[in-house]
Amino acid sequence: MANIDTQSEEPAELRQVRIRFASVRAIFALILREMSTSYGRSPGGYVWAILEPAAGIALLTAIFSAGFRTPPLGTNFPLFYATGVLPFLMYMDITGKMAQTLSFSKALLEYPRVTFIDALTARFILNMLTHFMVHFVIMAWIFIFLDVSVIMDVDKILLAYAMTLALAFGLGSLNCFLVLAYPIWQTVWAVINRPMFIISCLFFLWESVPEPWSNYLWFNPLVHITGLMRDAFFPFYNPNYISPIYVFTFAAICAIVGLFLLNRYHRDILDQ
């Protein structure tokens, strides 16, 4: 009987291995497709991915350095704005790209081997790696050519990136369903996000905002990410308002709700 049970279990285990391998192959193929469509087959697309945030940081530096002698932290304007703008753009870009995933890959989802999880994962991984490359290039340029010398806290940097990616994945998953089910949501979300560039503490510190407005800003998860990233690059800055638990909880709720709704309704919506 033991031999019979073992033999009967082996095909099921092998099927699971084949399913997982097929999922990995599908994700890799989707990543290659995303690379060719989003950034082109030449390095020019990635050059623009670097130039866009670099130009934004340079513009902020030029504007605020003309009116202020020093930034709110330290003495280097590009470093101060890079520590806020780069995580913010990572969140915005990944969230926006994930929201369009199923609409973009609708034809591929007709294949039984390609699932909505594969499509979401592929977009998330590609854009995450792209932004890591962009951040490395820009920060390396700031440190090398602007002669910046700081002691970085790597643990805080990694935690800030983890919070950024968790938030982007959570809201991206939820928005993926909302955009698929209600196309008008894409416009609504764009309107909602417009003031985020101002109220995410990219230009100022949370401590400089008077009450009760600072209490309202606390509920913006991006404020916690920006504060932690700056805490990692400015050792003398010790923000006490940061709550990673709040950000991860907020992101987890959005991800769970979004994935549940996609799993339940995405096929019905796509078939309409």
PDB file of all heavy atoms in Angstrom, residues 160-179:
ATOM      1  N   ALA A 160      13.215  51.529   3.548  1.00  0.00           N
ATOM      2  CA  ALA A 160      12.455  52.537   2.802  1.00  0.00           C
ATOM      3  C   ALA A 160      12.056  52.001   1.429  1.00  0.00           C
ATOM      4  O   ALA A 160      10.924  52.219   0.971  1.00  0.00           O
ATOM      5  CB  ALA A 160      13.281  53.815   2.654  1.00  0.00           C
ATOM      6  N   TYR A 161      12.971  51.294   0.767  1.00  0.00           N
ATOM      7  CA  TYR A 161      12.629  50.701  -0.530  1.00  0.00           C
ATOM      8  C   TYR A 161      11.575  49.610  -0.367  1.00  0.00           C
ATOM      9  O   TYR A 161      10.683  49.481  -1.221  1.00  0.00           O
ATOM     10  CB  TYR A 161      13.877  50.136  -1.201  1.00  0.00           C
ATOM     11  CG  TYR A 161      14.675  51.156  -1.970  1.00  0.00           C
ATOM     12  CD1 TYR A 161      16.015  51.371  -1.711  1.00  0.00           C
ATOM     13  CD2 TYR A 161      14.073  51.917  -2.972  1.00  0.00           C
ATOM     14  CE1 TYR A 161      16.750  52.307  -2.423  1.00  0.00           C
ATOM     15  CE2 TYR A 161      14.796  52.864  -3.690  1.00  0.00           C
ATOM     16  CZ  TYR A 161      16.132  53.048  -3.408  1.00  0.00           C
ATOM     17  OH  TYR A 161      16.838  53.983  -4.122  1.00  0.00           O
ATOM     18  N   ALA A 162      11.679  48.811   0.693  1.00  0.00           N
ATOM     19  CA  ALA A 162      10.680  47.770   0.930  1.00  0.00           C
ATOM     20  C   ALA A 162       9.305  48.391   1.136  1.00  0.00           C
ATOM     21  O   ALA A 162       8.292  47.876   0.622  1.00  0.00           O
ATOM     22  CB  ALA A 162      11.075  46.927   2.145  1.00  0.00           C
ATOM     23  N   MET A 163       9.232  49.486   1.876  1.00  0.00           N
ATOM     24  CA  MET A 163       7.963  50.172   2.074  1.00  0.00           C
ATOM     25  C   MET A 163       7.426  50.729   0.757  1.00  0.00           C
ATOM     26  O   MET A 163       6.224  50.651   0.468  1.00  0.00           O
ATOM     27  CB  MET A 163       8.139  51.296   3.102  1.00  0.00           C
ATOM     28  CG  MET A 163       8.415  50.790   4.520  1.00  0.00           C
ATOM     29  SD  MET A 163       9.141  52.045   5.613  1.00  0.00           S
ATOM     30  CE  MET A 163       7.869  53.313   5.611  1.00  0.00           C
ATOM     31  N   THR A 164       8.314  51.299  -0.059  1.00  0.00           N
ATOM     32  CA  THR A 164       7.904  51.851  -1.354  1.00  0.00           C
ATOM     33  C   THR A 164       7.343  50.769  -2.261  1.00  0.00           C
ATOM     34  O   THR A 164       6.280  50.938  -2.875  1.00  0.00           O
ATOM     35  CB  THR A 164       9.097  52.530  -2.041  1.00  0.00           C
ATOM     36  OG1 THR A 164       9.670  53.513  -1.178  1.00  0.00           O
ATOM     37  CG2 THR A 164       8.663  53.196  -3.341  1.00  0.00           C
ATOM     38  N   LEU A 165       8.051  49.645  -2.348  1.00  0.00           N
ATOM     39  CA  LEU A 165       7.626  48.562  -3.230  1.00  0.00           C
ATOM     40  C   LEU A 165       6.340  47.914  -2.737  1.00  0.00           C
ATOM     41  O   LEU A 165       5.465  47.556  -3.535  1.00  0.00           O
ATOM     42  CB  LEU A 165       8.740  47.521  -3.346  1.00  0.00           C
ATOM     43  CG  LEU A 165      10.016  48.010  -4.048  1.00  0.00           C
ATOM     44  CD1 LEU A 165      11.122  46.967  -3.936  1.00  0.00           C
ATOM     45  CD2 LEU A 165       9.736  48.327  -5.514  1.00  0.00           C
ATOM     46  N   ALA A 166       6.213  47.751  -1.426  1.00  0.00           N
ATOM     47  CA  ALA A 166       4.986  47.171  -0.876  1.00  0.00           C
ATOM     48  C   ALA A 166       3.791  48.064  -1.178  1.00  0.00           C
ATOM     49  O   ALA A 166       2.717  47.585  -1.584  1.00  0.00           O
ATOM     50  CB  ALA A 166       5.131  46.964   0.628  1.00  0.00           C
ATOM     51  N   LEU A 167       3.965  49.374  -0.991  1.00  0.00           N
ATOM     52  CA  LEU A 167       2.872  50.309  -1.268  1.00  0.00           C
ATOM     53  C   LEU A 167       2.521  50.314  -2.747  1.00  0.00           C
ATOM     54  O   LEU A 167       1.330  50.321  -3.115  1.00  0.00           O
ATOM     55  CB  LEU A 167       3.271  51.715  -0.805  1.00  0.00           C
ATOM     56  CG  LEU A 167       2.214  52.811  -0.970  1.00  0.00           C
ATOM     57  CD1 LEU A 167       1.003  52.522  -0.092  1.00  0.00           C
ATOM     58  CD2 LEU A 167       2.807  54.177  -0.611  1.00  0.00           C
ATOM     59  N   ALA A 168       3.539  50.305  -3.609  1.00  0.00           N
ATOM     60  CA  ALA A 168       3.296  50.310  -5.050  1.00  0.00           C
ATOM     61  C   ALA A 168       2.582  49.040  -5.493  1.00  0.00           C
ATOM     62  O   ALA A 168       1.656  49.093  -6.312  1.00  0.00           O
ATOM     63  CB  ALA A 168       4.618  50.463  -5.801  1.00  0.00           C
ATOM     64  N   PHE A 169       3.001  47.895  -4.945  1.00  0.00           N
ATOM     65  CA  PHE A 169       2.353  46.635  -5.328  1.00  0.00           C
ATOM     66  C   PHE A 169       0.919  46.587  -4.815  1.00  0.00           C
ATOM     67  O   PHE A 169       0.012  46.153  -5.539  1.00  0.00           O
ATOM     68  CB  PHE A 169       3.144  45.448  -4.772  1.00  0.00           C
ATOM     69  CG  PHE A 169       2.589  44.113  -5.198  1.00  0.00           C
ATOM     70  CD1 PHE A 169       2.967  43.556  -6.407  1.00  0.00           C
ATOM     71  CD2 PHE A 169       1.679  43.428  -4.408  1.00  0.00           C
ATOM     72  CE1 PHE A 169       2.446  42.333  -6.826  1.00  0.00           C
ATOM     73  CE2 PHE A 169       1.149  42.208  -4.809  1.00  0.00           C
ATOM     74  CZ  PHE A 169       1.532  41.657  -6.021  1.00  0.00           C
ATOM     75  N   GLY A 170       0.702  47.022  -3.579  1.00  0.00           N
ATOM     76  CA  GLY A 170      -0.639  46.981  -3.015  1.00  0.00           C
ATOM     77  C   GLY A 170      -1.610  47.858  -3.776  1.00  0.00           C
ATOM     78  O   GLY A 170      -2.676  47.391  -4.216  1.00  0.00           O
ATOM     79  N   LEU A 171      -1.261  49.127  -3.953  1.00  0.00           N
ATOM     80  CA  LEU A 171      -2.157  50.032  -4.670  1.00  0.00           C
ATOM     81  C   LEU A 171      -2.225  49.689  -6.145  1.00  0.00           C
ATOM     82  O   LEU A 171      -3.264  49.858  -6.781  1.00  0.00           O
ATOM     83  CB  LEU A 171      -1.682  51.478  -4.482  1.00  0.00           C
ATOM     84  CG  LEU A 171      -2.040  52.119  -3.141  1.00  0.00           C
ATOM     85  CD1 LEU A 171      -1.379  53.482  -3.003  1.00  0.00           C
ATOM     86  CD2 LEU A 171      -3.544  52.252  -2.979  1.00  0.00           C
ATOM     87  N   GLY A 172      -1.106  49.189  -6.708  1.00  0.00           N
ATOM     88  CA  GLY A 172      -1.123  48.784  -8.112  1.00  0.00           C
ATOM     89  C   GLY A 172      -2.074  47.627  -8.355  1.00  0.00           C
ATOM     90  O   GLY A 172      -2.802  47.599  -9.356  1.00  0.00           O
ATOM     91  N   SER A 173      -2.097  46.655  -7.442  1.00  0.00           N
ATOM     92  CA  SER A 173      -3.006  45.510  -7.577  1.00  0.00           C
ATOM     93  C   SER A 173      -4.462  45.948  -7.462  1.00  0.00           C
ATOM     94  O   SER A 173      -5.326  45.516  -8.232  1.00  0.00           O
ATOM     95  CB  SER A 173      -2.683  44.460  -6.513  1.00  0.00           C
ATOM     96  OG  SER A 173      -1.359  44.003  -6.624  1.00  0.00           O
ATOM     97  N   LEU A 174      -4.732  46.805  -6.480  1.00  0.00           N
ATOM     98  CA  LEU A 174      -6.102  47.286  -6.307  1.00  0.00           C
ATOM     99  C   LEU A 174      -6.547  48.125  -7.499  1.00  0.00           C
ATOM    100  O   LEU A 174      -7.666  47.967  -8.008  1.00  0.00           O
ATOM    101  CB  LEU A 174      -6.192  48.106  -5.018  1.00  0.00           C
ATOM    102  CG  LEU A 174      -7.572  48.678  -4.663  1.00  0.00           C
ATOM    103  CD1 LEU A 174      -8.609  47.564  -4.536  1.00  0.00           C
ATOM    104  CD2 LEU A 174      -7.500  49.484  -3.371  1.00  0.00           C
ATOM    105  N   ASN A 175      -5.664  49.006  -7.971  1.00  0.00           N
ATOM    106  CA  ASN A 175      -6.021  49.844  -9.114  1.00  0.00           C
ATOM    107  C   ASN A 175      -6.165  49.019 -10.389  1.00  0.00           C
ATOM    108  O   ASN A 175      -6.920  49.399 -11.293  1.00  0.00           O
ATOM    109  CB  ASN A 175      -4.964  50.931  -9.321  1.00  0.00           C
ATOM    110  CG  ASN A 175      -5.119  52.071  -8.333  1.00  0.00           C
ATOM    111  OD1 ASN A 175      -6.177  52.226  -7.726  1.00  0.00           O
ATOM    112  ND2 ASN A 175      -4.084  52.863  -8.146  1.00  0.00           N
ATOM    113  N   CYS A 176      -5.441  47.908 -10.473  1.00  0.00           N
ATOM    114  CA  CYS A 176      -5.565  47.036 -11.643  1.00  0.00           C
ATOM    115  C   CYS A 176      -7.003  46.543 -11.782  1.00  0.00           C
ATOM    116  O   CYS A 176      -7.561  46.529 -12.885  1.00  0.00           O
ATOM    117  CB  CYS A 176      -4.592  45.867 -11.516  1.00  0.00           C
ATOM    118  SG  CYS A 176      -4.564  44.784 -12.970  1.00  0.00           S
ATOM    119  N   PHE A 177      -7.599  46.158 -10.673  1.00  0.00           N
ATOM    120  CA  PHE A 177      -8.999  45.734 -10.728  1.00  0.00           C
ATOM    121  C   PHE A 177      -9.922  46.914 -10.998  1.00  0.00           C
ATOM    122  O   PHE A 177     -10.834  46.815 -11.830  1.00  0.00           O
ATOM    123  CB  PHE A 177      -9.407  45.061  -9.422  1.00  0.00           C
ATOM    124  CG  PHE A 177     -10.889  44.860  -9.311  1.00  0.00           C
ATOM    125  CD1 PHE A 177     -11.508  43.828 -10.000  1.00  0.00           C
ATOM    126  CD2 PHE A 177     -11.671  45.723  -8.549  1.00  0.00           C
ATOM    127  CE1 PHE A 177     -12.887  43.650  -9.923  1.00  0.00           C
ATOM    128  CE2 PHE A 177     -13.041  45.554  -8.462  1.00  0.00           C
ATOM    129  CZ  PHE A 177     -13.657  44.513  -9.155  1.00  0.00           C
ATOM    130  N   LEU A 178      -9.704  48.022 -10.302  1.00  0.00           N
ATOM    131  CA  LEU A 178     -10.610  49.163 -10.443  1.00  0.00           C
ATOM    132  C   LEU A 178     -10.590  49.723 -11.871  1.00  0.00           C
ATOM    133  O   LEU A 178     -11.641  50.082 -12.418  1.00  0.00           O
ATOM    134  CB  LEU A 178     -10.232  50.250  -9.437  1.00  0.00           C
ATOM    135  CG  LEU A 178     -10.465  49.887  -7.959  1.00  0.00           C
ATOM    136  CD1 LEU A 178      -9.919  50.985  -7.054  1.00  0.00           C
ATOM    137  CD2 LEU A 178     -11.950  49.667  -7.694  1.00  0.00           C
ATOM    138  N   VAL A 179      -9.397  49.785 -12.488  1.00  0.00           N
ATOM    139  CA  VAL A 179      -9.307  50.281 -13.864  1.00  0.00           C
ATOM    140  C   VAL A 179      -9.975  49.304 -14.822  1.00  0.00           C
ATOM    141  O   VAL A 179     -10.627  49.709 -15.798  1.00  0.00           O
ATOM    142  CB  VAL A 179      -7.829  50.500 -14.249  1.00  0.00           C
ATOM    143  CG1 VAL A 179      -7.686  50.759 -15.747  1.00  0.00           C
ATOM    144  CG2 VAL A 179      -7.240  51.669 -13.463  1.00  0.00           C
TER     145      VAL A 179
END
